[in-house]
Amino acid sequence: MGWEYEVSGRLDLSLFPGDLDGWSHALDVLATGRDVCWMDDDHSPEIRGQALNEEHETPAVHVEDVARSSISVFLPLRLEDGWIDGQRKLLQLVRREWPSEVLQTSPDAYEWRR
């Protein structure tokens, strides 16, 4: 028996270059078939990806926003073949479009170029 659900929501967060590096690493880990946790910094929602959720026999993601809303969402996913490569291409586009006006002045500190 198949179940389909519609989920609607908004996840407001700020991304920094280190977060993009973390997403790149998360994609590498998922590509090996291992589970991963991304954005677990006590300020942002924690995003955990399962390469394979045994109960649903599909990849799954769990988003938990403990710091702000206490909302938790678990989603089994039906992903197309090659989705990791698609995510890597999107990540390259984001890096290419990242504003050159943003400078990293020290670890986790950024300011606009003058």
Side-chain angles (χ1 to χ4, degrees):
M1 174 185 292
W3 297 89
E4 290 193 31
Y5 297 95
E6 183 173 324
V7 175
S8 178
R10 182 181 185 107
L11 182 62
D12 290 324
L13 58 96
S14 298
L15 293 176
F16 299 102
D19 298 322
L20 301 180
D21 295 340
W23 180 237
S24 178
H25 175 73
L27 291 172
D28 292 342
V29 171
L30 287 168
T32 67
R34 293 179 292 153
D35 297 347
V36 70
C37 185
W38 180 60
M39 299 288 291
D40 59 344
D41 61 10
D42 294 328
H43 302 292
S44 302
E46 182 178 272
I47 302 170
R48 292 188 308 268
Q50 289 182 293
L52 179 64
N53 177 275
E54 292 181 17
E55 179 182 349
H56 297 281
E57 299 178 349
T58 183
V61 66
H62 183 207
V63 179
E64 192 168 16
D65 187 14
V66 175
R68 286 188 260 171
S69 68
S70 297
I71 290 177
S72 178
V73 177
F74 173 80
L75 300 165
L77 304 172
R78 212 176 316 160
L79 300 171
E80 297 178 18
D81 289 340
W83 76 271
I84 289 178
D85 291 333
Q87 287 296 305
R88 286 182 174 139
K89 288 176 185 175
L90 291 171
L91 180 58
Q92 286 176 345
L93 290 173
V94 169
R95 289 183 192 272
R96 195 174 320 141
E97 295 298 321
W98 194 267
S100 61
E101 296 84 13
V102 177
L103 298 174
Q104 184 173 8
T105 57
S106 62
D108 296 326
Y110 301 88
E111 65 182 37
W112 288 97
R113 187 184 313 244
R114 298 175 195 234

